[in-house]
Amino acid sequence: MGCARDAIQEALENLTSDELKRFKMKLLSVPLREGYGRIPRGTLLGLDAMDLTDKLVSHYLEGYSAELTATVLRDIGMKELALRLQEAIGQAPHFVDQHRAALISRVTDVDGVLDALHSKVLTEEQYQAVRAEPTNPTKMRKLFSFAPAWNAACKNLLLQALRDTQPYLVADLERS
């Protein structure tokens, strides 16, 4: 077994049966990177932690399956387990993932960030969907709903946009 496979299996084995069920349900709806398809629901729901690990690795390969597993774990509220998984595979969370909650609550110039990401990271439809939200925190939540499908380059563009529009916030978070 590979390092990532072992780390995924260990993370999934640490979930209760209800948490594992929530993990599988979230896996069915989380945004995927371009070029990847979903594991069919009928196949997914009957799997235990070991079989789910095998299915994830065979379907998404080790690297992306570990990243996807960490994303889904964070989305279902298992942030500590997601962090342990990332540490086990030597993948530290990106700044925007690590400071997600603070960015959602503290970014004040969301439109400036959106303008910087428009056509580079966000499609016109995504851009308009985020702009349509009524408050800055809900705009940031909507923006982060697209982030699981982003690679490191996309997250770096978001970080640069944040540095350009919110330099004091980014500096504060980098110190924390």
Side-chain angles (χ1 to χ4, degrees), residues 31-77:
L32 299 174
R33 273 193 202 157
E34 190 172 325
Y36 289 96
R38 297 215 180 276
I39 298 171
R41 180 184 173 132
T43 303
L44 189 64
L45 295 182
L47 301 176
D48 63 12
M50 184 180 294
D51 293 333
L52 179 56
T53 300
D54 289 340
K55 183 57 80 176
L56 286 167
V57 171
S58 68
H59 202 79
Y60 299 114
L61 305 178
E62 280 197 29
Y64 184 51
S65 62
E67 182 183 325
L68 185 61
T69 300
T71 298
V72 173
L73 287 170
R74 270 193 306 279
D75 286 352
I76 65 167

Side-chain angles (χ1 to χ4, degrees), residues 13 38 43 46 49 72 80 88 107 109 113 129 141 160 169 175:
E13 286 176 343
R38 297 215 180 276
T43 303
V72 173
E80 183 63 34
V107 170
D109 183 15
V113 172
R141 273 192 199 89
Q160 188 57 52
L169 172 60
R175 284 192 300 269

Side-chain angles (χ1 to χ4, degrees), residues 120-172:
K120 295 176 187 167
V121 176
L122 298 174
T123 65
E124 179 66 27
E125 184 179 304
Q126 292 170 329
Y127 175 81
Q128 293 300 333
V130 176
R131 294 255 355 241
E133 294 296 326
T135 66
N136 285 331
T138 57
K139 286 180 182 182
M140 287 302 292
R141 273 192 199 89
K142 186 69 167 181
L143 179 61
F144 272 107
S145 75
F146 303 120
W150 295 352
N151 60 18
C154 294
K155 291 178 182 181
N156 288 339
L157 287 170
L158 172 57
L159 178 55
Q160 188 57 52
L162 289 165
R163 281 192 173 120
D164 293 345
T165 61
Q166 312 276 295
Y168 300 109
L169 172 60
V170 173
D172 183 46

Side-chain angles (χ1 to χ4, degrees), residues 1 6-8 17 19 36 60 63 81 96 99 110 112 115 119 129 141 163:
M1 264 198 213
D6 291 342
I8 293 167
S17 60
E19 291 166 343
Y36 289 96
Y60 299 114
L81 197 54
V96 298
H99 297 288
V110 180
D115 291 341
S119 300
R141 273 192 199 89
R163 281 192 173 120

Side-chain angles (χ1 to χ4, degrees), residues 71-124:
T71 298
V72 173
L73 287 170
R74 270 193 306 279
D75 286 352
I76 65 167
M78 306 298 292
K79 293 180 175 109
E80 183 63 34
L81 197 54
L83 187 58
R84 283 199 318 243
L85 170 61
Q86 289 179 303
E87 288 170 352
I89 60 172
Q91 182 187 55
H94 193 280
F95 176 89
V96 298
D97 295 325
Q98 184 178 0
H99 297 288
R100 181 181 190 274
L103 292 170
I104 287 171
S105 64
R106 296 176 60 189
V107 170
T108 56
D109 183 15
V110 180
D111 289 339
V113 172
L114 292 175
D115 291 341
L117 298 178
H118 188 245
S119 300
K120 295 176 187 167
V121 176
L122 298 174
T123 65
E124 179 66 27

